[in-house]
Amino acid sequence: VDVWTGSTWLQDQPSRNIAWAVCDLIKGKFGGGYSDEYLDLSTIKRLADVWDSRSDYFDYRFDTKGTLDSGLQLICRAGRAVKVEYDGVYSIVRDELKTVADYQFGMTEIVSNSVKIEYLTLDQWADDSVEVSYIDNETGLPEAVICALPGSTADRPRKLKLEGVTNRIQAMREGMFEAARAWYRNRVVTFKTELAGGLPDFGSSVAVSHVSSQWGTSGEVQQAERIGSATILTLSEDVLFTDSETHVIQLADTMGRPLGPFVAIAGADSN
């Protein structure tokens, strides 16, 4: 397949990388037949480096007719990712750690009475583990691995078949991720907003602060005054400081992107 170096394409290179399999299907005559202008190459190259560092591979042969979309999603699934399109440009979004939010929404951006918080609970009949099936690249035979979090009995595994994943380590890693996702991602927050809702993309990390959730206090900066090395902020809302604890304030630019967080100390007034 062709491999993008960041500045040019290297033709017909041996590769198991998920990203280049995606590009091959999008650009190839047997696939989409698209040119480079329809590829988000900067994002794809970054993820290619991530998958190389993790030894995440896609080993698969397409031998039946299908759609471009289904083929791309099958490839991306091997790398814990999905295919997305922005104005006709193909990109990839991977489910990965983000320590800083891409955008933030507070009381001023959220439509009144629109916040809903749903907690997903697991009953005694729920899946308690994941059984991943794959084709082993050494034996060529179907294999399965049980992925269970500590404390789980693994009596009721959810079946998951990973096409293109051909080694036990990668299969185990993806299965453990799915088991952890089902257990820990148990809170779904939905809300309505106005024009700011057009800023985040699929997969963006969004910080939410709302009075009903007790996730901090949100409001507006009404005045900022520079005194020496410190900046004194006057806020629209009162904030609570607790002795012996470190407090921070996170601001947002005009596009809703977070600035900070910055260490904050109490002033003379509560706001």
Side-chain angles (χ1 to χ4, degrees):
V1 296
D2 296 346
V3 173
W4 178 253
T5 64
S7 59
T8 188
W9 286 102
L10 300 179
Q11 305 293 321
D12 300 326
Q13 301 296 306
S15 176
R16 303 167 66 192
N17 194 291
I18 297 164
W20 311 136
V22 167
C23 291
D24 191 54
L25 191 58
I26 293 173
K27 296 181 62 176
K29 294 181 179 179
F30 52 85
Y34 291 100
S35 59
D36 287 0
E37 63 182 312
Y38 295 96
L39 292 172
D40 180 8
L41 286 174
S42 60
T43 298
I44 294 174
K45 177 63 170 68
R46 181 187 71 81
L47 289 175
D49 294 340
V50 170
W51 286 319
D52 273 340
S53 68
R54 291 169 51 87
S55 297
D56 283 349
Y57 302 123
F58 179 74
D59 302 319
Y60 189 81
R61 180 178 65 185
F62 289 96
D63 53 11
T64 58
K65 188 176 181 179
T67 65
L68 176 62
D69 183 77
S70 62
L72 291 174
Q73 298 296 19
L74 186 148
I75 297 171
C76 291
R77 180 63 190 85
R80 201 181 299 171
V82 295
K83 178 273 301 179
V84 295
E85 293 179 56
Y86 302 122
D87 295 327
V89 176
Y90 287 91
S91 187
I92 306 172
V93 174
R94 182 174 180 271
D95 196 337
E96 56 190 352
L97 174 66
K98 290 188 175 182
T99 57
V100 177
D102 299 307
Y103 299 93
Q104 64 184 48
F105 290 81
M107 293 291 292
T108 56
E109 293 82 27
I110 297 174
V111 174
S112 178
N113 298 320
S114 69
V115 172
K116 295 182 180 179
I117 305 174
E118 179 184 4
Y119 292 88
L120 306 178
T121 58
L122 301 178
D123 59 29
Q124 59 179 329
W125 309 113
D127 300 331
D128 62 357
S129 55
V130 177
E131 181 182 300
V132 179
S133 60
Y134 64 99
I135 303 297
D136 188 86
N137 60 359
E138 294 185 356
T139 65
L141 299 175
E143 298 286 350
V145 56
I146 296 292
C147 306
L149 297 179
S152 171
T153 60
D155 292 333
R156 297 174 301 279
R158 175 170 69 92
K159 307 291 185 179
L160 175 63
K161 184 178 182 180
L162 289 181
E163 304 283 6
V165 174
T166 59
N167 70 85
R168 184 180 180 85
I169 294 176
Q170 185 177 349
M172 171 68 80
R173 195 160 51 212
E174 294 308 305
M176 290 299 293
F177 174 81
E178 289 296 324
R181 185 165 69 94
W183 181 260
Y184 291 109
R185 290 184 178 175
N186 57 6
R187 183 168 54 187
V188 179
V189 180
T190 60
F191 59 89
K192 294 180 180 179
T193 184
E194 297 180 347
L195 292 178
L199 295 173
D201 296 318
F202 179 82
S204 293
S205 175
V206 175
V208 179
S209 179
H210 192 267
V211 64
S212 66
S213 64
Q214 298 183 349
W215 300 328
T217 302
S218 67
E220 296 180 337
V221 176
Q222 296 183 327
Q223 181 179 338
E225 181 182 4
R226 187 74 174 180
I227 300 178
S229 60
T231 301
I232 309 300
L233 300 180
T234 301
L235 309 178
S236 62
E237 311 297 325
D238 292 340
V239 291
L240 178 65
F241 284 83
T242 303
D243 293 339
S244 74
E245 292 189 5
T246 300
H247 300 78
V248 297
I249 184 171
Q250 184 160 286
L251 307 176
D253 64 13
T254 56
M255 296 298 290
R257 293 175 296 226
L259 300 173
F262 306 100
V263 175
I265 59 176
D269 300 317
S270 59
N271 64 336

